[in-house]
Amino acid sequence: MMLITNFDTFVENLLKCGFSMGGENDEGVFALSNYFDENIKWHTGEVDFDPWEWRIKVLEDRDDIAYAKLFFKKSGFISEAWYPYFLSARRKGKTFEEAFVDGEITAAEKRVYDVIASYDAIPFHEIKPLAGYSTENKTEFEKAITGLQMKMFITMCGRKRKTSQFGEEFGWSSTVFCTVERYFSAEVFEKANRISPIEAAEKIKAQILTLNPEANLKKVTKFING
């Protein structure tokens, strides 16, 4: 594994590995943070050397890497080449409606998904009121957002600040979401549909054990299946 000294070497390593936890905790599975050089520092705002900035930079600069809450309800990265395997393992060839009919999608998740699916992309702060949520039921809303990411029906696709009635931006940036179908090309889904869930899980597991032979097998299973 190449030492990660900046954003470019991070992307290079990620494309070779195929996936990674997003933070500093590898959860006993795998995280590229274990290969950060000492000059890599969190929350400095230096785009080339701050991993906190990289999570958005990959979404803004590239179209072959997904970033979302993907593993253990925490952030993670998956390359386009490996995304079909995770899609197969988690969605098992089902559309959103099929998964809902089969009881795999909660009513709250459907409310949130229906809003996101009606837009090309929509920021977090706009989804909440459109889905009928307020501060009183914010926990249910956030759980639905996380659940939809883990089930790989929505994904992050950028950030956007709030806009005042005068058209001026203010406050912190808000995460923008879109459906996975809008994020990746049809070829990704066609490939996923050609891979059986069992084959997909075996392929991912083999890659994990190549990257980390000491990976915790129970956690590997959870990492794969979500």
Side-chain angles (χ1 to χ4, degrees):
M1 187 75 60
M2 182 195 308
L3 190 66
I4 295 172
T5 57
N6 55 26
F7 175 74
D8 289 338
T9 53
F10 169 74
V11 169
E12 190 174 342
N13 274 272
L14 179 57
L15 294 177
K16 285 179 181 175
C17 297
F19 45 80
S20 170
M21 292 289 297
E24 295 178 273
N25 185 351
D26 65 10
E27 287 286 351
V29 181
F30 178 73
L32 282 171
S33 59
N34 292 331
Y35 299 91
F36 286 174
D37 191 19
E38 60 184 17
N39 72 314
I40 303 301
K41 307 287 185 186
W42 292 82
H43 306 295
T44 63
E46 295 183 56
V47 175
D48 278 338
F49 309 105
D50 180 358
W52 182 249
E53 298 293 328
W54 298 350
R55 75 199 202 288
I56 298 298
K57 189 170 173 62
V58 295
L59 302 179
E60 294 176 341
D61 292 6
R62 307 188 63 89
D63 60 5
D64 57 353
I65 296 170
Y67 171 82
K69 287 189 176 179
L70 290 163
F71 310 117
F72 307 103
K73 299 181 181 179
K74 298 177 182 178
S75 67
F77 300 89
I78 303 176
S79 71
E80 183 177 26
W82 279 87
Y83 208 85
Y85 294 97
F86 283 94
L87 270 180
S88 175
R90 297 201 188 171
R91 288 175 46 166
K92 297 176 173 57
K94 296 180 183 180
T95 64
F96 180 84
E97 289 302 326
E98 288 168 340
F100 179 68
V101 168
D102 289 345
E104 297 165 11
I105 302 293
T106 68
E109 287 169 347
K110 187 173 191 312
R111 280 168 64 188
V112 172
Y113 179 85
D114 286 347
V115 170
I116 295 171
S118 65
Y119 291 82
D120 283 332
I122 180 170
F124 181 87
H125 63 267
E126 292 181 16
I127 301 168
K128 187 189 276 189
L130 289 171
Y133 286 96
S134 62
T135 52
E136 284 73 31
N137 48 13
K138 112 175 186 181
T139 301
E140 181 182 290
F141 171 70
E142 291 177 352
K143 185 178 178 182
I145 285 278
T146 298
L148 289 167
Q149 291 173 80
M150 290 289 294
K151 294 169 186 176
M152 297 179 74
F153 285 106
I154 67 168
T155 191
M156 299 180 189
C157 55
R159 61 184 167 186
K160 183 181 179 182
R161 295 174 69 194
K162 292 181 180 179
T163 306
S164 72
Q165 60 181 324
F166 305 108
E168 298 171 342
E169 292 185 336
F170 68 94
W172 295 102
S173 294
S174 181
T175 303
V176 176
F177 289 94
C178 65
T179 64
V180 169
E181 279 78 359
R182 282 198 171 115
Y183 191 79
F184 277 124
S185 66
E187 286 84 352
V188 169
F189 298 90
E190 289 165 5
K191 183 176 180 180
N193 289 334
R194 293 195 296 269
I195 306 167
S196 75
I198 293 174
E199 178 192 351
E202 289 175 348
K203 177 91 170 177
I204 299 166
K205 181 179 178 180
Q207 178 70 347
I208 292 170
L209 294 177
T210 298
L211 297 169
N212 177 17
E214 304 301 318
N216 180 302
L217 294 181
K218 188 179 285 187
K219 288 198 169 185
V220 166
T221 299
K222 192 170 182 182
F223 182 94
I224 295 168
N225 296 323

